[in-house]
Amino acid sequence: MTSAIPVGDAHPYLRAANAGVRHHTRALTTRAQTTPTPADRVHLDVLHAHLTALHQLLDHLATTTRPPHPAAGRHLATAHTRLWQSAAAVHDAFHLLPAVHETTTDTECHPERLPEGPPVLTICQRHLAAGHIVRRKTTPSDLNTPLHGHTTICSQ
């Protein structure tokens, strides 16, 4: 995708994140042509982290854009809601995939050794934190409403 915004004016961290996602997508597409592999929990965990980071960014942008530009702020708020729905679907898919059992020499599991807790819970903690933002700013009916009626008129 190309943008009309000069590259020097774009946000460098977002450009880097987008480049990482594009690279990963190309790598998966190339690998899928030779040996297709289904998604695993690691991929979904990283994708969920990316979606929730974008969710926080959209939350901030919608909040700061709405006062001076109400229509644009409403569209960003709608994108914020739809991104939450995407993160929730990825979270649900994560729990439907089988757990990966790593082989170690230690036969006991010691999740207390990990500073962030057991690996399976980090996605849940991240999801609950993002859910707090959603519940604070979005009604349940908004979360269940499919996207329709939003049109954008592009002017050149």
Side-chain angles (χ1 to χ4, degrees):
M1 287 190 122
T2 60
S3 176
I5 300 172
V7 175
D9 294 342
H11 299 279
Y13 295 117
L14 287 176
R15 282 198 330 259
N18 286 335
V21 169
R22 282 192 308 272
H23 172 75
H24 188 73
T25 302
R26 278 193 301 266
L28 284 176
T29 304
T30 304
R31 188 172 53 175
Q33 293 172 354
T34 57
T35 53
T37 55
D40 59 12
R41 281 183 158 200
V42 174
H43 280 104
L44 293 185
D45 185 29
V46 172
L47 181 59
H48 187 268
H50 190 77
L51 288 172
T52 54
L54 285 172
H55 183 259
Q56 289 176 337
L57 177 61
L58 270 174
D59 178 49
H60 175 72
L61 290 174
T63 301
T64 57
T65 302
R66 185 169 268 169
H69 307 287
R74 282 192 303 275
H75 279 285
L76 289 174
T78 300
H80 174 259
T81 301
R82 300 305 173 242
L83 195 57
W84 166 253
Q85 291 170 333
S86 298
V90 169
H91 177 256
D92 293 345
F94 174 89
H95 285 294
L96 292 174
L97 290 176
V100 178
H101 299 290
E102 296 180 11
T103 56
T104 60
T105 55
D106 190 2
T107 57
E108 291 184 34
C109 178
H110 297 284
E112 69 277 359
R113 293 183 186 170
L114 299 172
E116 67 277 3
V120 73
L121 295 181
T122 56
I123 189 172
C124 295
Q125 291 168 345
R126 184 184 325 114
H127 196 69
L128 288 171
H132 177 71
I133 294 170
V134 169
R135 284 188 301 280
R136 192 181 70 217
K137 296 187 175 190
T138 311
T139 65
S141 64
D142 286 340
L143 291 175
N144 294 321
T145 303
L147 181 63
H148 59 77
H150 287 278
T151 58
T152 302
I153 299 171
C154 294
S155 60
Q156 304 252 351

